[in-house]
């Protein structure tokens, strides 16, 4: 069976249009269970076998580790069936895992070493708790979890510690504006990032380093995002860059 028949044979007409539309931006509007992942995986295979795109020039992004794993399995299996598995596979991952990869590859530009640690929510809240105590702020009254929430929200909106007071106002927000810069300084001193930094710092890296941006723009000619409607401001900026 010809490779094109393997790729397009099990698709309906609208799915075929999405797979074969490879020039310029494309938005696929589809409901749950309607074959969105199949379209993405088959489109990757179509680009490689029918358009001569090398796998290294394709980036596929989704939101959960499980979804990324499933997509990776499907793509690998399909490329093997098409007898092009030896060409390699595209970079497939979550926004956060790809952000972590980019940051490890360019750690010096964000003041870290490549072996940086990634704090989970408990690590972050414990660090914030220590900072609150150091600042003589009652942790029974001001919960570290609440401060962590505002810092995370700020990073999702690409709001830096310096500009935080201009974006958020209120009692807890005012406390956060004091803690946020101290928290970032502590993370840096420990060669660590939190989960929000994986996107926030990646966007800053790409925005502030033209050579790094050009390298990735040259590398990834095709980018596909599963569940695109769920992107927040930072993830959107990452994709746009």
């Amino acid at each position: 069976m010809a490779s094109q028949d393997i790729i397009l044979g099990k698709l309906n007409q609208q799915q075929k249009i999405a797979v074969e539309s490879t020039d310029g931006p494309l938005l696929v509007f589809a409901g749950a269970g309607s074959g969105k992942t199949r379209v993405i995986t088959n489109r990757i295979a179509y680009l490689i076998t029918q358009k001569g795109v090398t796998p290294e020039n394709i980036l596929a992004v989704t939101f959960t580790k499980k979804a990324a794993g499933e997509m990776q399995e499907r793509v690998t299996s399909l490329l093997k069936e098409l007898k092009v598995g030896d060409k390699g596979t595209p970079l497939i991952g979550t926004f956060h895992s790809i952000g972590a990869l980019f940051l490890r590859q360019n750690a010096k530009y964000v003041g870290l070493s490549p072996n940086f640690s990634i704090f989970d929510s408990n690590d972050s809240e414990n660090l914030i708790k220590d900072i609150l105590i150091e600042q003589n702020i009652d942790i029974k009254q001001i919960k570290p979890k609440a401060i962590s929430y505002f810092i995370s929200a700020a990073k999702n909106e690409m709001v830096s510690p310096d500009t935080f007071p201009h974006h958020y106002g209120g009692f807890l927000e005012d406390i956060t504006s004091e803690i946020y810069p101290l928290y970032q300084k502590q993370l840096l001193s420990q060669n660590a990032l939190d989960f929000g930094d994986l996107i926030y710092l990646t966007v800053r890296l790409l925005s502030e380093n033209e050579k790094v941006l050009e390298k990735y723009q040259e590398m990834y000619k095709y980018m596909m995002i599963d569940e695109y409607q769920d992107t927040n401001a930072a993830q959107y900026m990452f994709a746009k860059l």
Side-chain angles (χ1 to χ4, degrees):
M1 188 184 290
S3 59
Q4 189 161 338
D5 294 332
I6 294 172
I7 295 167
L8 302 176
K10 295 180 180 179
L11 304 180
N12 63 37
Q13 188 56 36
Q14 294 304 311
Q15 290 171 335
K16 286 178 184 176
I17 292 169
V19 167
E20 293 179 304
S21 300
T22 58
D23 295 325
L26 175 74
L27 177 67
V28 177
F29 187 81
S34 60
K36 298 190 299 295
T37 304
R38 178 183 288 178
V39 166
I40 293 174
T41 55
N42 285 43
R43 192 168 187 261
I44 289 170
Y46 186 84
L47 285 165
I48 293 168
T49 61
Q50 306 304 308
K51 294 291 183 177
V53 179
T54 58
E56 290 79 10
N57 291 140
I58 300 172
L59 174 63
V61 190
T62 188
F63 279 82
T64 68
K65 192 175 178 180
K66 183 182 176 185
E70 288 175 359
M71 192 182 293
Q72 183 74 64
E73 282 180 23
R74 288 203 207 183
V75 169
T76 302
S77 176
L78 184 54
L79 294 180
K80 193 175 180 181
E81 184 183 355
L82 293 163
K83 296 182 172 51
V84 291
D86 59 334
K87 290 187 176 182
T89 54
L91 177 58
I92 299 172
T94 62
F95 275 104
H96 292 91
S97 69
I98 292 165
L101 174 66
F102 287 6
L103 290 170
R104 290 197 192 281
Q105 290 173 342
N106 302 277
K108 63 181 181 181
Y109 295 115
V110 291
L112 296 165
S113 62
N115 64 337
F116 60 76
S117 302
I118 300 171
F119 278 23
D120 63 18
S121 56
N122 287 334
D123 295 326
S124 295
E125 286 171 29
N126 285 334
L127 177 56
I128 290 167
K129 178 182 174 182
D130 291 342
I131 295 169
L132 287 169
I133 291 170
E134 285 174 8
Q135 297 299 306
N136 296 314
I137 296 170
D138 187 355
I139 58 171
K140 291 180 181 177
Q141 191 175 26
I142 307 298
K143 301 294 183 186
K145 191 169 187 175
I147 304 300
S148 177
Y149 168 82
F150 280 114
I151 291 174
S152 178
K155 289 178 180 180
N156 286 342
E157 295 296 322
M158 291 305 301
V159 175
S160 69
D162 293 340
T163 61
F164 185 92
H166 305 302
H167 292 267
Y168 299 91
F171 177 67
L172 275 176
E173 291 88 335
D174 289 346
I175 301 288
T176 305
S177 69
E178 294 177 37
I179 303 304
Y180 186 8
L182 299 174
Y183 170 74
Q184 286 302 109
K185 190 175 180 181
Q186 280 287 339
L187 283 175
L188 193 64
S189 71
Q190 295 182 41
N191 193 41
L193 303 178
D194 66 16
F195 207 55
D197 283 327
L198 296 177
I199 308 296
Y200 170 73
L201 286 182
T202 300
V203 171
R204 287 193 55 181
L205 169 72
L206 297 175
S207 301
E208 296 169 8
N209 295 270
E210 197 170 327
K211 285 185 179 178
V212 175
L213 176 63
E214 286 176 359
K215 179 180 79 171
Y216 289 119
Q217 287 181 341
E218 188 65 27
M219 189 179 296
Y220 300 113
K221 298 295 189 183
Y222 292 86
M223 182 178 188
M224 280 162 275
I225 304 174
D226 189 23
E227 306 290 0
Y228 178 78
Q229 75 284 350
D230 290 336
T231 53
N232 60 33
Q235 289 161 342
Y236 168 75
M237 289 177 72
F238 169 84
K240 187 170 171 60
L241 284 163

